[in-house]
Amino acid sequence: MDADMSAWQKAAQAKRQAILQAIPPKWRVQQQNLPVDVTGTYIRGFLNPREIEITEADAVLITTQTASGKWSAVEVTEAFCHRAAIAHQLVNCLHEFFFEDALGVAKELDDHLAATGKPKGPLHGLPVSLKDQFHIKGVDTTMGYVGWIGTFQGQKDDPRARVAESELVRELRDLGAVLFCKTSVPLTLMAGETANNIIGYTWNPHNRQLSSGGSSGGEGALLALRGSPAGFGTDIGGSVRIPAAFNGVFGLRPSAGRMPYEGAANSIDGQNTLLSVIGPMATSVGSLKLLFKAVLSQKPWLYDPLALPLPWRYDIEKETQKLIEASARDPSVLAFGIVHHDGVVRPHPPVKEAMIFIKHILKDKGHKVMDWDPQLCKEGQEIADKAYAMDGGEDLLSHMTLSGEPQPPQSFIGKSKHLSAREVAALNVQKRQYMKKYMDYWNSTSDLKATGKPVDAIICPTAPYAAVIPGKFRHAGYTTFINTLDYTSAVIPITSADKGIHRVESPPQFLSEVDQKVYAEYNAEIYDGAPVGIQLIGRRYEEEKILTLAEYITECIKLYSGEGLVQLAA
Amino acid sequence: MDADMSAWQKAAQAKRQAILQAIPPKWRVQQQNLPVDVTGTYIRGFLNPREIEITEADAVLITTQTASGKWSAVEVTEAFCHRAAIAHQLVNCLHEFFFEDALGVAKELDDHLAATGKPKGPLHGLPVSLKDQFHIKGVDTTMGYVGWIGTFQGQKDDPRARVAESELVRELRDLGAVLFCKTSVPLTLMAGETANNIIGYTWNPHNRQLSSGGSSGGEGALLALRGSPAGFGTDIGGSVRIPAAFNGVFGLRPSAGRMPYEGAANSIDGQNTLLSVIGPMATSVGSLKLLFKAVLSQKPWLYDPLALPLPWRYDIEKETQKLIEASARDPSVLAFGIVHHDGVVRPHPPVKEAMIFIKHILKDKGHKVMDWDPQLCKEGQEIADKAYAMDGGEDLLSHMTLSGEPQPPQSFIGKSKHLSAREVAALNVQKRQYMKKYMDYWNSTSDLKATGKPVDAIICPTAPYAAVIPGKFRHAGYTTFINTLDYTSAVIPITSADKGIHRVESPPQFLSEVDQKVYAEYNAEIYDGAPVGIQLIGRRYEEEKILTLAEYITECIKLYSGEGLVQLAA
């Protein structure tokens, strides 16, 4: 180590090296002359055909194979561990890697299947990655804070350190999942790019000049490289959706209380104006459904005091499937709202085109489509921003103070006014009134459909940019207003930026200062190859409907874009 | 008016007189030489046999009669209006009385039935009373504040005054209910007795020396007098349950988000650590179920942004019914915890005996019964107290300042520290951890039952006293910890204080200073006849299970107490 380094720098460097050292020498790779795009062909070059076959299967196929014993859990786990180890060396996406523990669990699962003839649960033998907010026995939870290394959430000598497990972890084990790594997050979690003083910057695998998004950026990057078939992130302002969109994978932000947050680390814990939620991320929409249903089968409401007793509602899933079937005969029974922009920042050309593309698909299919009023977005964004900053940044800064580490430029922490309880209450009232306004607007669309029912879902950009240029993530508003509304939102990959198509356009009438800045930062060359994902948004607690509609929309997109989507997700 | 009166006194007096003037002269009564107990025989003396028959029917019977046209909505409405008018003159339980509007609605309902042959909804022709937090067109919502008279929640010249209606009101109208009055509340709502500077004190109809409880005290008193068959109160610390228990009627505190609070007035609006909830109150347990199911049939989650998409779950109701049936063969499949005291204040003799009585019934029936650990109550009470006071009383005081009126002695407003956003967050974390501890304790009882499942419900006093002596409501802890837990709790009338049985006992080892005070304030003579109600408590969102178990427990109590209960509820 460099003698001139400060204590926090030494601690960060040691942790960084420990992550690399957890990778066995046989899986180390040279990191020279990396191409811009390290997905697909490039990463396959490190793997044998069997490993490629396994790791390019989605969670639905994998669990079919492991449940029947066609693939052993050990073989599957080893293949993903190998690919994840390479992925980390290409884009810095891991905080923890514990493949030996994982192989031990996989061995037990194989033994269980051999002994009983039955899989342990619906996720039998499925490797599952987790964002570094979940506590897993045997490894750290740093959440990117240097001051958390070797502690329990920054508390030294706490017996829970490296011992306690989060409720979701307990449930995943019972479901038969194999945990094998924890993925990188930005310091404080409050950022749309993933960077911290331990692992540095998590790059976008599709274009290593770009960001993997945040805050579940490591999760998104790992999935894009197929270093994991499925995982869980968290989302208080877009942290599942932005990295899903930026990495060309699928993600779900459910409404608060469906997935168990109990026993996970968090930023600004106890801020309950706008709750962070856990959501699955995966390489197929079917995998999102598999994971979400599996967790609900564990009845998290009996173990997490904030979880709601809402099991997977098969009746709503079936109703939605029937609606889709009915729409084959009469397409007008399905209706969608399209948000072209949020009234604050216009999307870059690749995102704008994606919205035109999806609108074209839906209209061509014969569905009812209406342009959604953007006027209501801004207030939702402002409420979210006030909620994040209600303690004046005190909690976030306190964790940085533990080690004295500096703030990376991508973080959002600014000193702001610390609200009083009465001001918090006023914000809660404003939020409720905002939700009511939005609800009334949604209800008012019932005259669009012959059925007299309001639109089924709205479709909206996930961000004004495709996977963003580092340091340029200026506007999270496309996702944050959904957190204010506590709506369900699934991200679906739709296309990617193409320098041959998505040229710089002539300046529009700007909506705001940040609109002007964002406009100026589009660069067709640099953005080339950056994925674009769209949000499919439902009302509160409409996960069954939205995931089922997302399956349908994904099929539609495939029909219209040929092999485009397959390339993205591979 | 007295020339020496201040402006607020004049305004209060005018409003008080306006309430009386809303009662037609034919329904005025002399208030001299009132007996202590004005229920039953006494109030019947003002009514004809037909009026008595109608008003002593419960909501279930009434809606059967009105839906079939056997009783007209007009006749039913008029009977209840008459009895409510008398009730108010006996115990001061109304803030608003609008029988002419009600008769107009009832007429429309009769016409509807005549024209279509169908009732308007499941509450067709049912008079429903509402606590004075709900906005109804044509009348004030004062919530007891002099400064709110003629305004919208204290805001002068607001066009919503006497025009806007709360979401619950809209739904009740659609269900066919007939709204006819609003019932009294204590100033600020944060009190276990009902007193304000407009109507004065709301007395207990069973014993006019005692309190009707609070904050839904007017509702409880009106129901006890059968001036209404059913109504809605709100509960943030016991405000449905305390008046239900004190007046010998039934009440339900559901978990947050089941009933629509949208558009109702409230105290400390936006305080969301611990939410106030709406709950039905009625003269039979079946009526609670009828009202609760009826409101859910309106899908409040489509109109109230904080309502959860939980329709009435028939499967859970059926499961519970099956469990009860199975318990006839094997009583040990049903298990209950019994909270004898909360570790802070021991109950007075009538309440203590009620707990022994219910334990005896359940054991005699053969059900599993365990004494519930009281150690966890206190922290839940402390968290609730901190939540109520988080803004240092600023909101409550601001509404009193509007008129300059003084605080009645029964109010709980004390100047306290105004918390910061970070302190609120810390309180939210403490609350969640407390809920988790309680949940773990409940889960740990699974070894009690042969089924391997934890106890089905716990039974707990509603307050340490039967209907309390004015000014002596010192401890709300038996109800507030349930609000912290957000558990479901139904109040069931069980007995009443009897000076012949419930004598002063020798002093116990006191649990606290307030315990000693409460002990000293028991007086067998004064409490004679005061109703006692118990809480039947389930976990979060277990309303279907708890209401169904409450039906069963009510039947058990009837079996064991002969006619005692019937006397109480009449």
Side-chain angles (χ1 to χ4, degrees), chain B residues 38 73 85 140 224-225 234 416 419 433 442 465 483 487 489 521 525:
Chain B
V38 292
D140 270 346
L225 286 166
T234 65
S416 57
L419 303 190
Q433 290 171 341
W442 194 308
Y465 7 73
N483 296 77
Y487 280 178
S489 173
E521 287 166 355
E525 284 293 331

Side-chain angles (χ1 to χ4, degrees), chain A residues 262 269-272 301-310 313 390 394-395 398 418-422 424-425 428-429 432 435-436 439 443 539-541, chain B residues 262 269-272 301-310 313 390 394-395 398 418-422 424-425 428-429 432 435-436 439 443 539-541:
Chain A
E262 175 65 27
D269 193 18
Q271 177 281 105
N272 76 349
W301 52 89
L302 295 179
Y303 309 98
D304 176 342
L306 301 189
L308 298 175
L310 282 173
R313 291 164 299 179
M390 63 166 59
E394 271 191 25
D395 174 78
S398 74
H418 193 142
L419 302 191
S420 70
R422 201 163 185 212
V424 172
N428 292 335
V429 171
R432 188 185 69 222
M435 293 170 84
K436 175 66 174 159
M439 174 177 251
N443 287 339
R539 301 163 85 150
R540 284 183 94 200
Y541 304 107
Chain B
E262 175 65 27
D269 193 18
Q271 177 282 104
N272 76 348
W301 52 90
L302 295 179
Y303 309 98
D304 177 342
L306 301 189
L308 297 175
L310 282 173
R313 291 163 300 179
M390 63 164 61
E394 271 191 26
D395 174 76
S398 73
H418 193 144
L419 303 190
S420 69
R422 203 165 183 210
V424 172
N428 291 334
V429 171
R432 188 183 70 222
M435 294 170 84
K436 175 65 175 159
M439 174 177 253
N443 286 339
R539 301 164 86 152
R540 285 182 93 200
Y541 303 108

Side-chain angles (χ1 to χ4, degrees), chain B residues 69-82:
Chain B
K70 279 182 200 149
W71 292 354
S72 78
V74 164
E75 186 182 27
V76 169
T77 299
E78 194 154 15
F80 276 104
C81 285
H82 184 192

Side-chain angles (χ1 to χ4, degrees), chain A residues 18 30 63 74 81 115 123 127 137 193 230 248 264 271 345 366 400-401 405-406 459 469 502 510 527:
Chain A
Q30 294 301 319
T63 49
V74 165
C81 285
L123 304 184
K137 202 174 172 177
E193 303 175 41
Q271 177 281 105
V345 174
M400 293 172 59
T401 304
E405 66 185 311
I459 296 176
I469 296 172
H502 303 127
F510 293 114
Y527 272 101

